[in-house]
Amino acid sequence: MANASDPPRPDATERQSRTAHPVPEPSALPDATAEPEPAPATGTPTPPERGGPPASPAAEGGRPLTAGVVMLATTVAVVSVLVGGLLMAVGLTGHVFGAWRSPESLTPGLIGASMLGTAPGLFAVSRARAWHEVRTLVLPLAIVLVGLFAVSLLNAGRLYIARGGSVVPVLFSLGWLFVLGVLCVFALVALAWQYVVPARPLGPRGAPLPAWSKPALAVLGSAWLGIGAGLLTRPGFWSGFVPWGTGRVDAQALGVWALALGVGVLGALAEDDLTRTGPALIALPCTALTVTVVLACRASAVHWHSGPALSLVCMVAGLLFAGASGRVLLTRTAPAGPWPRS
């Protein structure tokens, strides 16, 4: 018989430890390569991580911006830089160059300045995500394309391609008519495609216009719209209100641009939201600056002591002030967006 004081035998000690701490089976061990089970769903959604992709235009409301409008704006911007820069540069030297004969070099220079000034805003259209962010610039762009093409067709007999002349103006007038026709068709197709896209209700305005700016914008937009409609429909009468020498085609071409500027300013007033006028706020002061450069360099051709000259100065200064103040207000009040901040 074993004594109680004797130490236990090794086999008995091993059996006791196995009973107290059983060794798990290999199949019961956790698999290190297995994926963790997802947490049970609760009623609170998981917040998105910072730095994730922005919300889609459909989630923000409105119509998503189509690729056709972006391509149209970019194409017109490139053409405006090339053709507008050429017309402005030649006009600054005092030489007359264009698709038709003009009494003064000031008119083709101003047309080129307007084209060149709107190019930065057109390039900015590619940064937008929704149609309501760019329509205050794209709709006036369509007016310019359709209007200039219609004016060129109605006065085709006054173009160099019909009247003849040296080779360069004839070829330029031919290219002017062809490019305008292609861009005009492109604009109509792109806008039709844009309005076919389903739209969702727009959200609240991000940065409403201040109350003090609305009467001034209404007067400025109405002034440009009125003079543009007059020059376009009755150029013989309204050309007398232009403070330099103009022909029929000059008056109507200037009327198209004035009409587009009026529509753009009144469109921004109707939007009543600075976040929906990003590209237009870029194009507006740039256009005013390029026009001012041409008027300053060709000041000898302007009848500055007349009432129309004073009105023109006030209207151009209004464009510059509206664009610059809009950029400042957008920077201070609007949240981070696709438009460059000043």
Side-chain angles (χ1 to χ4, degrees), residues 31-311:
D31 189 1
T33 61
E35 296 182 359
E37 295 183 359
T42 60
T44 304
T46 304
E49 297 181 358
R50 294 184 178 180
S56 63
E60 298 176 354
R63 301 177 189 271
L65 188 64
T66 60
V69 173
V70 176
M71 293 173 60
L72 171 68
T74 305
T75 303
V76 176
V78 173
V79 174
S80 297
V81 170
L82 299 176
V83 179
L86 176 63
L87 291 176
M88 180 178 175
V90 176
L92 291 176
T93 62
H95 295 84
V96 179
F97 179 74
W100 57 84
R101 295 182 180 178
S102 301
E104 291 283 348
S105 63
L106 191 57
T107 298
L110 288 176
I111 294 175
S114 301
M115 296 172 66
L116 189 62
T118 55
L122 294 175
F123 281 121
V125 170
S126 61
R127 294 195 293 267
R129 293 176 296 171
W131 166 241
H132 60 267
E133 297 176 351
V134 302
R135 59 189 174 192
T136 51
L137 179 62
V138 176
L139 291 178
L141 171 65
I143 292 176
V144 170
L145 295 176
V146 176
L148 287 180
F149 184 62
V151 167
S152 300
L153 287 181
L154 292 175
N155 299 276
R158 293 181 170 88
L159 299 181
Y160 279 108
I161 189 176
R163 300 187 61 174
S166 58
V167 176
V168 175
V170 170
L171 293 178
F172 182 82
S173 64
L174 178 62
W176 173 273
L177 199 60
F178 175 77
V179 173
L180 271 181
V182 173
L183 292 178
C184 181
V185 174
F186 190 6
L188 296 178
V189 173
L191 290 179
W193 181 15
Q194 178 64 65
Y195 278 102
V196 169
V197 176
R200 297 185 59 178
L202 290 174
R205 289 178 169 86
L209 297 176
W212 58 265
S213 67
K214 295 181 180 180
L217 287 177
V219 173
L220 180 64
S222 300
W224 283 105
L225 186 69
I227 190 66
L231 288 171
L232 190 58
T233 56
R234 297 190 62 187
F237 174 77
W238 284 90
S239 61
F241 293 91
V242 179
W244 61 85
T246 58
R248 177 182 176 85
V249 194
D250 292 329
Q252 289 186 323
L254 292 174
V256 169
W257 275 102
L259 185 68
L261 288 173
V263 170
V265 174
L266 295 178
L269 181 62
E271 293 287 354
D272 194 15
D273 191 352
L274 293 172
T275 60
R276 302 179 187 177
T277 58
L281 289 178
I282 298 174
L284 207 61
C286 292
T287 303
L289 288 175
T290 52
V291 167
T292 301
V293 170
V294 174
L295 289 174
C297 293
R298 299 298 304 156
S300 60
V302 182
H303 306 296
W304 292 109
H305 300 289
S306 61
L310 179 61
S311 301

